[in-house]
Amino acid sequence: MILMRRSRAMTCLFLNQLVFHLAPSHSHNASSTCKSSRSFYYSLAKNAWGSTCPISHPAVRSFASNSSTRAMQSMANPESITYLTQRDAAEIDEILMGPLGFSVDQLMELAGSSVATSIAEVYKPSEYNRVLAICGPGNNGGDGLVAARHLHHFGYKPFVCYPKRTAKPLYTGLVTQLESLAVPFLTVEDLPSDLSKDFDILVDAMFGFSFHGVPRPPFDDLIHKLVYLHKCNQTRQKSSVIVSIDIPSGWHVEEGDVGGEGIKPDMLVSLTAPKLCAKKFSGPHHFLGGRFVPSSVVEKYKLHLPPYPGTSMCVRIGKSPQVDISALRENYISPEFLEEEVEANPIDQFLKWFDDAVAARLKEPNAMCLSTVGKDGKPSSRMVLLKGVDKDGFVWYTNYQSRKAHQLSENPQASLLFYWDGLNRQVRVEGYVQKVSDEESEQYFHSRPRGSQIGAIVSKQSTIVPGRHVLHQQFKELEEKYSGV
């Protein structure tokens, strides 16, 4: 075992054998009568420490669903999304808080959560930690108060400037919640003339779509501070960023920054649906928050909104800005890993770290990169899923006809790489691979749901198919064949 203190990597060298489990892949459900004739399992022989390593993986998943395709199209083409007039936005709010039963505090909580989530999507607390939420007296200010609370729990250090407090219980409750978290409240006089000196993110939560007229003191001065900040940022290498909630304060709800001298936010988080002024937004990050719009509202106002990915409360509108890959850097801060703390058996050390990854609730801690090399000497890698590990090794599953299976039959040496980003840890496993028994292969295959079994038989990995319709037809035929079993 080789210890690399800086990267906190553990290298396990299985000199004699690794266990590689190949089986049918893809998901769906077939009965136990479906044969796994195209599946096989590799099982590793003895390693340098007298143990073996099995390796296993359930097959390739398709991410090109109809909903994700629509989401990609919406993100790429902001013009396909509905932009609301001020009147429509007000009507939708009345409907939500009237016949549809939403309360103001419910909508405010959803809005503030969406704003905080959008910020966390782009600006990591390790780089943009100090946040100032400038809150107005209305609902937009309440959204900012809620966002500040969520940002605190996300690991940021929020401050709040709330110069015109609203005496209603809803708002006083939000203030109490922040005070209980020891979030500092600053007066306008407390703020420096150059906000970038003390803050990394400025949240503009002063005025929403219901605001009319010209901003009065002290908000006119606060808006000028944000305008000045943008001008100064153009001459700095690293600058503070401005995040506006729904409407950049001082903008016309429909016409945008009419005079061209208003706030130039780096991020705009639209709520419910973007307002017409958002078409004039030219910053790099436009998000939509508010995953709560009922279908009746969507149909009545003929709204075209991008689908939200997974369980996220926000979705990006438009393309992500281009990134300078060479400038991407992270500071890896981890506890010491001392040699005397290392388990004598590398499998025991792996299991200890794997338990840590599970306890940290990392996404798919059993995901691993499998690298194989065929007789042509060309390596190939792919992500698979660990399905078992014990003193005999690691186990995964794949299709007998897949590229990795053919390469392993030509060259039974392979490597695995586990990478647990949240813990700054990685584990390498290298060694020889061999099949496990036919009995173990069959046992795993028949443990899978019916659709998964049928899908494994239908999907011939690493082969060209005439089209998706062929796979659907074959799946349907097998499903009908085994329907009574």
Side-chain angles (χ1 to χ4, degrees):
M1 178 159 59
I2 301 173
L3 296 179
M4 301 172 63
R5 288 187 181 82
R6 289 190 179 180
S7 62
R8 260 193 123 198
M10 183 183 78
T11 303
C12 301
L13 302 177
F14 293 91
L15 303 180
N16 294 328
Q17 37 188 349
L18 235 180
V19 176
F20 173 61
H21 223 149
L22 289 167
S25 34
H26 286 300
S27 23
H28 289 301
N29 306 315
S31 77
S32 59
T33 56
C34 299
K35 300 299 180 183
S36 58
S37 57
R38 293 188 298 102
S39 72
F40 69 110
Y41 295 80
Y42 281 127
S43 140
L44 231 90
K46 293 285 180 184
N47 59 42
W49 294 280
S51 61
T52 50
C53 304
I55 304 175
S56 82
H57 166 62
V60 181
R61 301 189 182 96
S62 169
F63 293 95
S65 66
N66 290 335
S67 62
S68 63
T69 301
R70 288 195 300 271
M72 293 290 285
Q73 292 170 345
S74 296
M75 288 168 62
N77 181 19
E79 294 302 319
S80 66
I81 297 171
T82 301
Y83 290 76
L84 297 177
T85 64
Q86 186 175 30
R87 178 178 177 179
D88 285 345
E91 287 182 359
I92 290 174
D93 258 18
E94 289 177 4
I95 293 172
L96 290 171
M97 292 184 287
L100 294 182
F102 284 90
S103 62
V104 177
D105 51 339
Q106 279 183 313
L107 295 177
M108 201 171 285
E109 187 66 32
L110 290 167
S113 172
S114 300
V115 171
T117 304
S118 299
I119 291 173
E121 284 280 329
V122 177
Y123 304 111
K124 296 182 179 180
S126 58
E127 299 176 22
Y128 295 84
N129 185 252
R130 303 165 302 168
V131 182
L132 174 65
I134 306 175
C135 301
N139 290 349
N140 201 261
D143 298 339
L145 295 173
V146 173
R149 169 162 45 82
H150 284 287
L151 288 170
H152 169 85
H153 291 298
F154 290 172
Y156 296 83
K157 186 178 181 181
F159 298 79
V160 176
C161 178
Y162 189 25
K164 297 288 184 180
R165 300 193 180 192
T166 303
K168 294 179 180 178
L170 168 59
Y171 296 88
T172 57
L174 295 176
V175 170
T176 300
Q177 292 164 17
L178 289 168
E179 289 175 339
S180 71
L181 298 173
V183 172
F185 279 77
L186 307 178
T187 66
V188 175
E189 293 72 27
D190 291 331
L191 300 179
S193 56
D194 183 356
L195 296 174
S196 65
K197 291 181 178 180
D198 293 343
F199 307 107
D200 304 308
I201 301 175
L202 287 305
V203 179
D204 162 28
M206 288 179 272
F207 303 119
F209 67 81
S210 60
F211 177 76
H212 296 274
V214 178
R216 292 185 295 229
F219 297 105
D220 54 350
D221 182 58
L222 290 168
I223 290 174
H224 288 149
K225 283 181 180 291
L226 296 182
V227 172
Y228 173 76
L229 177 71
H230 173 76
K231 292 178 179 178
C232 292
N233 283 347
Q234 295 175 326
T235 63
R236 295 185 177 122
Q237 188 173 4
K238 184 181 185 297
S239 55
S240 303
V241 297
I242 302 172
V243 178
S244 287
I245 298 179
D246 207 26
I247 307 290
S249 294
W251 280 30
H252 189 281
V253 179
E254 297 180 359
E255 299 175 16
D257 184 14
V258 179
E261 296 296 324
I263 297 174
K264 303 289 191 299
D266 301 272
M267 173 184 282
L268 174 63
V269 184
S270 295
L271 300 174
T272 306
K275 314 309 179 284
L276 274 176
C277 68
K279 288 190 173 185
K280 306 294 179 66
F281 171 70
S282 59
H285 306 291
H286 186 189
F287 280 78
L288 175 63
R291 192 176 185 171
F292 53 80
V293 182
S295 57
S296 59
V297 173
V298 172
E299 293 167 4
K300 179 176 181 178
Y301 290 90
K302 296 180 174 55
L303 301 181
H304 296 279
L305 303 175
Y308 289 80
T311 58
S312 179
M313 291 299 293
C314 62
V315 59
R316 180 182 286 276
I317 297 176
K319 295 181 180 179
S320 300
Q322 290 188 338
V323 176
D324 178 5
I325 296 177
S326 66
L328 294 176
R329 288 179 177 81
E330 287 284 347
N331 289 324
Y332 297 100
I333 302 173
S334 305
E336 284 186 323
F337 182 53
L338 305 176
E339 292 187 35
E340 56 266 27
E341 297 175 352
V342 179
E343 298 291 334
N345 188 312
I347 292 291
D348 293 337
Q349 182 66 52
F350 173 85
L351 291 171
K352 185 176 181 180
W353 276 9
F354 187 83
D355 288 344
D356 289 346
V358 172
R361 303 180 67 86
L362 302 184
K363 184 177 181 181
E364 292 194 312
N366 59 329
M368 60 189 188
C369 177
L370 166 66
S371 298
T372 55
V373 180
K375 63 182 179 181
D376 59 2
K378 296 179 179 179
S380 63
S381 301
R382 75 288 292 164
M383 297 303 296
V384 300
L385 295 178
L386 178 70
K387 285 298 178 181
V389 58
D390 55 26
K391 63 181 180 60
D392 294 324
F394 304 80
V395 181
W396 79 88
Y397 305 96
T398 191
N399 189 290
Y400 186 84
Q401 300 299 328
S402 67
R403 182 185 182 188
K404 51 187 171 295
H406 283 300
Q407 288 185 328
L408 284 166
S409 65
E410 296 169 353
N411 176 9
Q413 298 189 77
S415 69
L416 302 176
L417 173 65
F418 294 85
Y419 176 56
W420 296 309
D421 174 47
L423 300 175
N424 294 336
R425 289 173 177 169
Q426 63 176 345
V427 177
R428 294 204 324 264
V429 183
E430 301 172 1
Y432 293 99
V433 175
Q434 69 183 41
K435 292 182 183 179
V436 298
S437 66
D438 290 342
E439 290 77 17
E440 186 174 346
S441 175
E442 290 292 330
Q443 182 180 8
Y444 169 75
F445 182 78
H446 296 312
S447 72
R448 304 173 75 175
R450 174 188 294 269
S452 180
Q453 293 181 26
I454 295 176
I457 296 173
V458 168
S459 58
K460 299 177 176 63
Q461 285 188 22
S462 304
T463 62
I464 299 174
V465 295
R468 181 183 292 269
H469 66 283
V470 176
L471 297 178
H472 282 303
Q473 181 60 33
Q474 292 176 350
F475 183 91
K476 184 177 180 181
E477 290 172 358
L478 282 177
E479 195 174 37
E480 292 175 353
K481 180 178 180 179
Y482 295 110
S483 61
V485 180

